[in-house]
Amino acid sequence: MTDIIPTPALPSLPIEGDARRFPVRRIFCIGRNYAEHAKEMGAETDAIFFMKPADAISTARTIPYPPATADLHHEVELVLALGDGGAIMGCGVGVDLTRRDLQGAMKAKGAPWEIGKAFENSAPVGLLRFGPVPERGAISLKVNGVRRQSGDLSDMLLPPRRVLAALSRYFTLKPGDLIFTGTPAGVGPLQRDDRVTAEIEGLPTLEFSIS
């Protein structure tokens, strides 16, 4: 028996030093995992979880400005890549792109955030590095060479292993799952033609432009 429509290919990410790729099954995200970011958003410092679809992943050097928004924001994050048994295989640098105006409208209604968070190309991720996951080290983001976000991984309210444990209470984590672990303070708007450089100490840099 064949499918009634062509079976879509899984999105995948490149791996440092490996010709193989990492297929993406699901994307989990944690919000409010850095106290200063929670404060700048006027939120309590209690971590919350949400999701993006796997096809929100982008490895493109140029990302189109999304429709239906006039307030696209950047959020640099450590991204965990899970393997067998839901264990952490490695990590990389990601940016959670957010239609902040749409997210704010949904918050005001007490409604879900999907239209603000789960759109196409809203999860750029760089080269994955397999091996131990850092729990301290600088995390930052520049726009057109000007630093916007700056912090340290040790500032996380829930470090990577505790994020994994918290998520495991609600979901059976599987190989191919990604976890965006939250962003430090300094989130802000992006415009067309902006150049984004997202960095975490010891990991491959993520760079892209908005078109």
Side-chain angles (χ1 to χ4, degrees), residues 19-198:
R20 297 170 297 177
R21 294 178 68 89
F22 182 87
V24 178
R25 184 173 183 269
R26 295 178 293 187
I27 304 172
F28 296 98
C29 305
I30 183 170
R32 307 175 187 172
N33 200 23
Y34 288 76
E36 291 304 312
H37 172 59
K39 289 177 185 176
E40 75 177 347
M41 299 305 294
E44 298 293 328
T45 53
D46 55 335
I48 57 172
F49 294 108
F50 60 94
M51 295 182 71
K52 292 176 180 269
D55 60 7
I57 285 292
S58 176
T59 57
R61 298 285 294 188
T62 302
I63 293 175
Y65 196 96
T69 184
D71 196 19
L72 178 68
H73 276 212
H74 56 75
E75 300 186 6
V76 60
E77 311 203 12
L78 173 69
V79 178
L80 310 178
L82 305 189
D84 289 342
I88 301 171
M89 289 184 71
C91 57
V93 181
V95 174
D96 170 12
L97 293 175
T98 302
R99 294 191 283 207
R100 191 71 74 200
D101 44 0
L102 300 187
Q103 183 194 29
M106 294 300 102
K107 283 183 177 180
K109 297 177 182 179
W113 298 357
E114 276 85 357
I115 63 170
K117 288 284 191 180
F119 52 95
E120 292 86 348
N121 300 306
S122 63
V125 179
L127 198 64
L128 295 180
R129 175 170 290 170
F130 284 180
V133 176
E135 295 204 0
R136 61 181 63 251
I139 176 171
S140 65
L141 182 141
K142 297 176 184 175
V143 178
N144 302 324
V146 178
R147 192 177 305 278
R148 293 267 194 90
Q149 291 186 262
S150 183
D152 195 279
L153 297 178
S154 62
D155 296 332
M156 287 187 194
L157 300 175
L158 295 179
R161 303 290 175 185
R162 290 183 62 195
V163 169
L164 208 64
L167 262 179
S168 296
R169 295 175 56 199
Y170 307 106
F171 302 95
T172 302
L173 299 177
K174 300 282 189 177
D177 288 343
L178 294 180
I179 304 174
F180 278 63
T181 58
T183 194
V187 301
L190 291 170
Q191 310 297 334
R192 289 178 175 85
D193 298 324
D194 278 348
R195 294 174 289 103
V196 176
T197 303

Side-chain angles (χ1 to χ4, degrees), residues 1-5 7:
M1 183 180 295
T2 57
D3 296 328
I4 197 168
I5 60 172
T7 303

